């Protein structure tokens, strides 16, 4: 063999060896990663090759699957009362992916989770029968909130304080996830994302906003825990009119001129006196205010198991004295979701113990065998029982004598807190109307938070007691009167 042929043969042999090494590498080491890659269309086709498992509310499936005529996808996701449950289920779309519970439990619902596989499935590498997701949501509370929010833009959350079970997650406007479930629903999708996608926003879980005076519950909790308030009926000594510390700006209260002068903590909560709570925050200081807020869930990523991202916020950057005072009334950079404010009230109602909120109780295989249980969630004593009792007492006064009267449920103990939060440059946008409350009757309890972003009400009439409290009342009644 001459020299040229020998060199060519060696070169070809090296090419073959390189190819074999590459194939071995891809199959042995990268095969699974490539198979699991989200851009692998075979996975998407496999996901909808068979009917999906279901998301269940109160023992009834609120999802389903229907046979399609498409050559790639055998089945398409369907929804029962889609707009009612959309903030809970999210969507499972052949074109646009998944969200909310559909996304969190995608592998359970499409049968690709390893926990679902039988021995035969493993031997044949076959996709297993899908599992189901059982939720904690109560149909009656969910429906009451959804119907009460019609004609308004806003959101509501309800929690059982003793168990942490989320009883309702509602947004308005909402959308029908079935309208975007197919592979050719681009027009429906584009319609949804118009107007900055408000229908797709999960305001209840994922849109922190200024909580306004509902945050005064956190301020009062911090004041009681740190000994600034020891008796609800002792005058606080805070003047009205009141000048914000470090400024020459007077801070008005909705109760009117001098109505909040030297009032007690109970009266301050009932009248929502800004001067009292700004002064309490000023005296407490940023660190103690933040510590109380963080115990209640602020500055944390909350998983329901849908992640509430971005989370509710109490400022961590160094603030000036006037800014700290403003946080005491739920302004400056304080932000909260309805979920967060429902957690605050749930902890107060539950004797100071905060139970981790969750919207799923169990995940099962197709035969009902439990794969994952959330029935024993984490809990933490975030304030003294005495503090919680004093807060309940003050909140009852708001509901019986103050702006929370529209939240009263016949025969039940109800406590609440109204809130109106300014927003926009120079208050250019309609204020947010908030209400958070608890109710208990006959061994049952519920904590609720409602925010109204926009309504057809005149700006001068926008307030948590008028707009949000009636919605909370309907939610509480739906649970307590069962």
């Amino acid at each position: 063999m001459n020299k040229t042929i020998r060199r060519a043969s060696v070169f070809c042999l090296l090419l073959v060896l390189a190819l074999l090494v590459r194939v071995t590498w891809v199959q042995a080491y990268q095969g699974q990663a490539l198979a699991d890659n989200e851009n692998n269309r075979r996975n998407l086709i496999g996901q909808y090759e068979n009917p999906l498992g279901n998301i269940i509310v109160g023992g009834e499936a609120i999802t389903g699957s229907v046979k399609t005529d498409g050559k790639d996808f055998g089945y398409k996701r369907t929804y029962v009362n889609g707009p009612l449950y959309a903030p809970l289920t999210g969507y499972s779309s052949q074109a646009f992916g998944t969200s909310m519970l559909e996304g969190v439990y995608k592998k359970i619902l499409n049968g690709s989770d390893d926990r679902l596989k039988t021995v035969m499935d493993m031997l044949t590498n076959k996709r297993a029968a899908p599992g189901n997701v059982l939720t904690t949501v109560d149909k009656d509370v969910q429906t009451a909130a959804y119907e009460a929010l019609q004609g308004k833009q806003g959101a509501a959350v309800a929690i059982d304080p003793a168990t942490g079970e989320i009883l309702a997650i509602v947004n308005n406007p909402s959308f029908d996830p079935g309208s975007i479930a197919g592979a050719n629903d681009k027009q429906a999708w584009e319609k949804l994302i118009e107007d900055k996608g408000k229908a797709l926003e999960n305001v209840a879980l994922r849109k922190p906003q200024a909580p306004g005076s509902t945050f005064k519950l956190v301020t009062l909790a911090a004041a009681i825990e740190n000994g600034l308030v020891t008796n609800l009926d002792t005058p606080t000594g805070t003047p009205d009119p009141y000048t914000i510390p470090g400024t020459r700006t007077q801070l008005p209260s909705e109760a009117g001129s001098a109505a909040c002068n030297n009032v007690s903590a109970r009266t301050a909560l009932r009248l929502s006196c800004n001067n009292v709570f700004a002064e309490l925050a000023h005296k407490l200081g940023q660190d103690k205010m933040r510590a109380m807020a963080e115990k209640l869930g602020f500055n944390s990523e909350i998983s329901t198991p849908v992640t509430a991202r971005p989370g509710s916020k109490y400022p961590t950057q160094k603030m000036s004295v006037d800014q700290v005072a403003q946080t005491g009334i739920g302004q400056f950079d304080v932000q909260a979701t309805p979920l967060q404010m429902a957690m605050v009230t749930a902890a107060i109602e539950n004797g100071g113990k905060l139970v981790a909120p969750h919207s799923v109780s169990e995940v099962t295989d197709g035969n009902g065998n439990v794969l994952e249980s959330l029935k024993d969630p984490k809990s933490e004593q975030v304030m003294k029982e005495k503090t919680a009792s004093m807060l309940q007492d003050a909140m009852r006064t708001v509901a019986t004598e103050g702006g929370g009267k529209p939240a009263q449920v016949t025969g039940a103990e109800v406590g609440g807190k109204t809130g109106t939060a300014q927003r926009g440059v120079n208050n250019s946008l309609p204020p947010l109307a908030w209400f958070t409350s608890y109710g208990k009757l006959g061994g049952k309890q519920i904590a609720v938070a409602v925010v109204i972003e926009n309504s057809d009400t005149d700006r001068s009439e926008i307030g948590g007691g008028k707009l949000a409290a009636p919605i909370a009342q309907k939610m509480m009644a739906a649970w307590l009167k069962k």
Side-chain angles (χ1 to χ4, degrees):
M1 181 183 296
N2 64 40
K3 190 174 182 179
T4 302
I5 294 175
R6 186 169 59 252
R7 285 179 176 177
S9 299
V10 171
F11 180 69
C12 289
L13 180 60
L14 290 174
L15 289 176
V16 171
L17 288 173
L19 183 60
L20 289 173
V21 169
R22 176 61 180 165
V23 169
T24 302
W25 174 264
V26 169
Q27 289 185 334
Y29 295 97
Q30 291 187 309
Q32 192 59 49
L34 292 170
D36 293 339
N37 191 289
E38 61 181 16
N39 295 316
N40 187 341
R41 185 168 172 80
R42 292 177 63 185
N43 287 333
L44 186 61
I45 292 172
Q47 182 176 339
Y48 296 101
E49 184 178 3
N50 298 301
L52 297 172
N54 286 314
I55 298 171
I56 296 170
V57 170
E60 298 180 357
I62 59 171
T63 56
S65 297
V66 64
K67 196 87 172 70
T68 69
D69 297 328
K71 64 178 182 177
D72 286 338
F73 304 108
Y75 288 83
K76 182 175 79 168
R77 183 54 121 185
T78 60
Y79 296 87
V80 179
N81 293 325
L84 172 63
Y85 293 112
L88 174 71
T89 63
Y91 55 80
S92 181
S93 170
Q94 294 169 355
F96 306 107
T98 57
S99 69
M100 303 305 152
L101 290 185
E102 291 276 30
V104 173
Y105 291 109
K106 178 172 68 175
K107 290 187 175 182
I108 288 287
L109 295 169
N110 67 30
S112 63
D113 191 295
D114 288 341
R115 292 174 293 176
L116 296 167
K117 290 183 180 293
T118 64
V119 174
M120 188 57 67
D121 292 332
M122 293 179 182
L123 291 174
T124 60
N125 200 28
K126 178 184 175 184
R127 188 178 291 257
N132 298 313
V133 177
L134 283 63
T135 74
T136 62
V137 165
D138 181 85
K139 179 181 179 181
D140 294 335
V141 182
Q142 184 85 3
T143 302
Y146 182 75
E147 291 178 350
L149 275 168
Q150 296 310 300
K152 304 175 182 67
Q153 179 184 332
V157 171
I159 299 174
D160 184 328
T163 65
E165 293 181 347
I166 295 177
L167 304 174
I169 305 173
V170 179
N171 291 321
N172 193 58
S174 188
F175 68 102
D176 182 3
S179 67
I180 56 172
N184 301 299
D185 294 327
K186 184 179 179 182
Q187 188 173 354
W189 177 263
E190 289 178 345
K191 186 175 180 180
L192 278 177
I193 61 176
E194 288 176 3
D195 194 24
K196 299 181 180 179
K198 281 191 173 61
L200 290 170
E201 274 186 335
N202 198 324
V203 176
L205 302 182
R206 290 181 164 178
K207 190 179 180 182
Q209 302 183 83
S213 292
T214 58
F215 190 78
K216 290 171 181 174
L217 295 173
V218 180
T219 305
L220 185 53
I224 296 171
E225 288 281 282
N226 287 281
L228 282 185
V229 174
T230 56
N231 187 311
L232 291 175
D233 298 306
T234 300
T236 59
T238 309
D240 184 15
Y242 173 81
T243 302
I244 300 174
T247 75
R248 297 179 180 178
T249 304
Q250 289 192 344
L251 181 65
S253 291
E254 292 181 17
S257 178
C260 292
N261 184 53
N262 191 29
V263 295
S264 66
R266 182 192 302 277
T267 301
L269 198 72
R270 175 173 64 85
L271 297 179
S272 206
C273 296
N274 287 335
N275 60 321
V276 172
F277 291 95
E279 181 65 8
L280 286 175
H282 171 58
K283 288 180 177 178
L284 286 163
Q286 179 177 350
D287 291 343
K288 290 179 180 178
M289 284 290 295
R290 185 179 69 244
M292 188 73 253
E294 289 181 347
K295 284 183 179 180
L296 289 161
F298 286 79
N299 298 337
S300 297
E301 192 173 87
I302 300 166
S303 174
T304 67
V306 171
T307 303
R309 188 187 299 118
S312 298
K313 172 187 172 186
Y314 185 88
T316 55
Q317 76 277 13
K318 181 65 177 177
M319 291 187 285
S320 59
V321 291
D322 59 305
Q323 291 168 342
V324 174
Q326 290 177 65
T327 68
I329 62 172
Q331 294 285 176
F332 186 55
D333 277 351
V334 178
Q335 293 186 324
T337 60
L339 170 65
Q340 176 61 71
M341 294 317 300
M343 289 169 60
V344 170
T345 301
I348 292 170
E349 196 283 330
N350 197 38
K353 181 182 289 186
L354 179 60
V355 183
H358 55 284
S359 60
V360 172
S361 58
E362 291 180 339
V363 178
T364 69
D365 63 17
N367 295 319
N369 299 309
V370 177
L371 303 176
E372 183 179 328
S373 175
L374 287 81
K375 289 187 174 181
D376 186 23
K378 177 184 175 183
S379 63
E380 182 180 358
Q381 194 75 31
V382 296
M383 66 181 79
K384 299 183 184 74
E385 284 190 41
K386 182 180 178 181
T387 301
S389 178
M390 291 174 68
L391 287 164
Q392 288 180 42
D393 191 3
M395 291 175 74
R396 284 194 296 271
T397 305
V398 174
T400 55
E401 303 175 26
K405 286 181 180 179
Q408 284 288 336
V409 177
T410 304
E413 177 187 319
V414 172
K417 183 67 194 84
T418 59
T420 306
Q422 298 174 349
R423 59 178 182 155
V425 179
N426 296 321
N427 303 327
S428 57
L429 298 174
L432 299 170
W434 283 87
F435 189 75
T436 185
S437 60
Y438 74 84
K440 47 187 172 185
L441 176 65
K444 300 184 74 172
Q445 58 281 311
I446 185 172
V448 174
V450 180
V451 63
I452 304 298
E453 297 180 294
N454 284 303
S455 74
D456 55 9
T457 304
D458 183 82
R459 185 186 182 104
S460 63
E461 294 296 310
I462 293 176
K466 292 181 179 179
L467 294 182
I471 297 170
Q473 191 276 340
K474 289 180 174 61
M475 296 170 70
M476 291 190 294
W479 180 247
L480 298 175
K481 295 286 190 175
K482 268 184 176 291

